[in-house]
């Protein structure tokens, strides 16, 4: 079974008031070409199809046209779309009824019968080749908030409900799979050990809550993850688990590889993964790469070729206040260029008794106040000379979330 693993399209995303329709349409054209060349058995979209729950008409139009184009490129391919935390889940479900005749399965949220039992058939998708031969199964799980997992058995805690939910689906799939064909599980969540660079943990529709792979049950051969924007492969005691990452960067600090993943699964063998890069026609550039005084940063920006389309974040080292007209100066340099200004990233050089040259503190975006975790990490590094690390960061995130929930209940 050959699957094309994608996630986090974020159609309709706006970057500092700049719409990104051109880039997203170009990504979808590249994806259609990949589908046409590779002829996979299944295409997965593992959540966050859209950037906002109330997606604009232009984004919905891209989505509809994309599914039609993918179907035309490979008519026998099974397409599976699951909702992410950014998606309007009920809207996806309603529209999904229209897509099933085109080999498109859309799962926005769990569904229950009149007796309150989970409709497992809704989540278990058979994948066949062009001749109709069964190749394997996709267990399609959309984003579910940690406290909203349905109670399948005698589970009491949220962790138990989550694990029983996944395991019940996998056990049901096993009963339908007596020949041991490959099983792919999808999930849209943050797994422990993920690369969280570029993510805003205080996002009200995201979060820092992490899940151990063991919570997702046993009985699958490949775990296709969505939600985290940086590609990463987990290799441990369990089956291979992967984030394919966003096809194009959503934020300036998402500096890793971006693309989609072609995964080949054969009975009794480890999955074989090929990462296929997506070319962003309008990349996010931080200029210069290392912080520099405003005048020097502006000079380097002026060297950017006029014909280069890009979004720009100027990387400035402060030795005093920014010029009152700094934005005007930046826009003046960019006036003949195809690049567009987004923001300034500033860093402060603080005196260090052990270093006459001073040390560079963690950069702070001038247009946005740092999140609590960022400030805490800055002071932690200043005192202990090492980063807080993911475990402390996660505990702090949980504490902040608890305080916010307490404030909301007052």
């Amino acid at each position: 079974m050959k699957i094309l693993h994608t996630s986090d399209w974020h159609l309709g995303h706006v970057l500092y008031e700049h719409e990104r329709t051109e880039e997203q349409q170009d990504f979808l054209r590249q994806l259609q070409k990949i589908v046409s060349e590779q002829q996979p058995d299944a295409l997965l979209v593992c959540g966050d199809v859209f950037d906002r729950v109330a997606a604009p008409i232009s984004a919905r139009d891209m989505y509809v046209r994309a599914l039609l184009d993918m179907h035309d490129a490979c008519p026998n391919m099974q397409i599976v779309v699951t909702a992410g935390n950014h998606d309007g889940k009920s809207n996806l479900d309603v529209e999904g009824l229209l897509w099933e005749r085109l080999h498109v399965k859309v799962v926005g949220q769990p569904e229950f019968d009149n007796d309150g039992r989970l409709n497992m058939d809704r989540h278990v998708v058979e994948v066949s080749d062009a001749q109709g031969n069964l190749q394997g199964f996709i267990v399609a799980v959309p984003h579910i908030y940690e406290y909203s997992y349905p109670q399948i058995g005698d589970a009491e805690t949220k962790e138990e409900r989550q694990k029983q939910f996944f395991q019940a689906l996998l056990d049901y799939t096993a009963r339908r799979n007596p020949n041991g064909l490959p099983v792919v599980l999808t999930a849209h969540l943050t797994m422990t050990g993920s690369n969280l660079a570029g993510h805003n943990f205080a996002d009200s529709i995201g979060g820092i809550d992490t899940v151990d792979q063991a919570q997702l049950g046993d009985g699958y051969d490949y775990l296709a993850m969505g939600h985290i924007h940086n590609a990463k492969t987990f290799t441990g005691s369990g089956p291979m688990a992967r984030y394919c990452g966003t096809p194009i960067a959503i934020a300036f600090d998402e500096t890793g590889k971006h693309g989609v993943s072609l995964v080949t699964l054969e009975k009794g063998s480890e999955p074989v993964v090929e990462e296929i890069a997506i070319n962003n026609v309008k990349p996010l550039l931080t200029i210069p790469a290392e912080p520099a005084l405003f005048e020097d940063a502006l000079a380097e920006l002026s060297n950017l070729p006029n014909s280069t389309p890009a979004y720009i974040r100027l990387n400035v080292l402060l030795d005093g206040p920014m010029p009152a007209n700094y934005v005007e100066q930046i826009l003046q340099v960019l006036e003949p260029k195809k690049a567009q200004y987004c923001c300034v990233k500033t860093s402060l050089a603080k005196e260090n008794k052990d270093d006459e040259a001073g040390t560079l503190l963690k950069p702070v975006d001038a247009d946005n106040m740092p999140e609590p975790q960022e400030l805490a990490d800055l002071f932690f590094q200043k005192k202990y000379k090492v980063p807080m690390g993911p475990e402390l960061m996660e505990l702090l995130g949980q504490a902040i979330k608890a305080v916010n929930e307490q404030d909301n209940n007052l």
Side-chain angles (χ1 to χ4, degrees):
M1 180 168 67
K2 185 162 68 172
I3 66 169
L4 197 57
H5 175 193
T6 79
S7 76
D8 296 87
W9 291 5
H10 284 275
L11 300 180
H13 179 245
V14 176
L15 180 70
Y16 291 89
E17 302 182 355
H18 301 300
E19 292 187 0
R20 307 184 69 189
T21 303
E22 178 187 357
E23 304 152 75
Q24 293 175 336
Q25 288 177 335
D26 189 77
F27 147 62
L28 292 172
R29 284 192 290 268
Q30 293 180 63
L31 182 60
Q32 182 185 9
K33 182 179 179 182
I34 294 168
V35 167
S36 180
E37 293 173 347
Q38 297 295 336
Q39 294 292 297
D41 297 303
L43 167 66
L44 306 183
V45 187
C46 299
D48 285 356
V49 183
F50 300 106
D51 191 61
R52 293 175 299 205
V53 171
I57 296 297
S58 59
R60 307 204 69 84
D61 181 71
M62 276 194 287
Y63 168 65
V64 171
R65 293 177 185 275
L67 293 188
L68 293 174
D69 289 343
M70 301 309 157
H71 174 74
D72 289 345
C74 187
N76 294 300
M77 175 180 67
Q78 175 67 57
I79 301 174
V80 180
V81 179
T82 51
N85 54 302
H86 282 251
D87 295 315
K89 300 174 183 178
S90 58
N91 290 338
L92 283 179
D93 277 338
V94 170
E95 295 170 356
L97 296 174
L98 300 173
W99 286 112
E100 293 194 8
R101 294 192 179 185
L102 294 178
H103 294 288
V104 179
K105 180 70 172 180
V106 180
V107 183
Q109 52 197 343
E111 183 179 81
F112 303 89
D113 61 22
N114 293 332
D115 296 324
R117 290 174 298 196
L118 178 68
N119 178 7
M120 295 193 184
D121 286 323
R122 171 176 167 76
H123 295 272
V124 180
V125 184
E126 293 184 353
V127 177
S128 300
D129 61 16
Q131 290 73 42
N133 301 311
L134 186 62
Q135 299 295 298
F137 296 84
I138 307 294
V139 182
V141 180
H143 173 265
I144 303 174
Y145 286 101
E146 56 175 337
Y147 289 100
S148 300
Y149 280 91
Q151 187 161 351
I152 302 297
D154 57 356
E156 296 182 356
T157 67
K158 61 182 178 67
E159 291 84 6
E160 291 171 338
R161 289 199 306 273
Q162 182 184 58
K163 187 170 185 177
Q164 286 193 5
F165 174 82
F166 279 98
Q167 193 59 59
L169 288 173
L170 291 167
D171 290 344
Y172 178 73
T173 305
R175 292 193 291 272
R176 291 178 51 177
N177 185 23
N179 295 324
L181 297 174
V183 174
V184 175
L185 174 65
T186 78
H188 189 90
L189 45 75
T190 306
M191 201 157 77
T192 303
S194 300
N195 179 358
L196 304 177
H199 281 266
N200 179 3
F201 301 136
D203 188 345
S204 61
I205 54 176
I208 193 175
D209 301 295
T210 61
V211 176
D212 290 334
Q213 186 174 352
Q215 286 292 113
L216 306 182
D218 301 306
Y220 58 88
D221 300 285
Y222 178 79
L223 176 55
M225 307 286 289
H227 188 42
I228 299 303
H229 295 173
N230 302 286
K232 182 177 174 65
T233 300
F234 297 82
T235 53
S237 56
M240 180 184 290
R242 293 191 72 257
Y243 287 105
C244 60
T246 52
I248 58 175
I250 301 300
F252 280 96
D253 289 328
E254 295 172 14
T255 56
K257 294 184 291 186
H258 293 273
V260 299
S261 299
L262 185 68
V263 184
T264 303
L265 298 107
E266 295 185 7
K267 182 178 177 180
S269 301
E270 288 287 319
V272 177
V273 177
E274 178 187 353
E275 294 183 339
I276 303 176
I278 295 294
N279 174 51
N280 186 0
V281 295
K282 198 169 184 180
L284 283 63
L285 301 181
T286 297
I287 296 177
E290 296 297 328
L293 297 178
F294 179 72
E295 294 78 7
D296 297 332
L298 210 58
E300 184 158 343
L301 178 61
S302 68
N303 293 328
L304 182 72
N306 290 354
S307 60
T308 300
Y311 296 110
I312 300 299
R313 178 173 69 170
L314 201 64
N315 198 4
V316 176
L317 178 64
L318 292 179
D319 60 350
M322 289 282 286
N325 65 338
Y326 74 92
V327 174
E328 288 79 2
Q329 292 189 52
I330 296 171
L331 294 178
Q332 185 176 5
V333 170
L334 288 175
E335 186 174 0
K337 303 179 185 298
K338 287 189 176 182
Q340 293 178 289
Y341 167 70
C342 287
C343 64
V344 171
K345 176 182 182 180
T346 59
S347 304
L348 302 173
K350 293 291 187 180
E351 291 185 1
N352 187 324
K353 295 179 180 179
D354 298 326
D355 182 0
E356 292 182 359
T359 58
L360 189 64
L361 293 184
K362 187 174 181 179
V364 175
D365 192 324
D367 291 340
N368 295 283
M369 285 298 293
E371 299 299 334
Q373 290 95 331
E374 292 182 280
L375 287 173
D377 189 45
L378 188 152
F379 286 106
F380 189 93
Q381 291 189 53
K382 183 177 180 181
K383 183 173 182 179
Y384 298 106
K385 312 304 180 189
V386 294
M388 286 180 67
E391 294 183 358
L392 285 177
M393 191 73 79
E394 179 180 347
L395 289 173
L396 178 59
Q398 293 173 353
I400 292 171
K401 181 177 180 181
V403 171
N404 289 336
E405 291 175 347
Q406 184 177 7
D407 289 342
N408 292 335
N409 293 330
L410 293 179

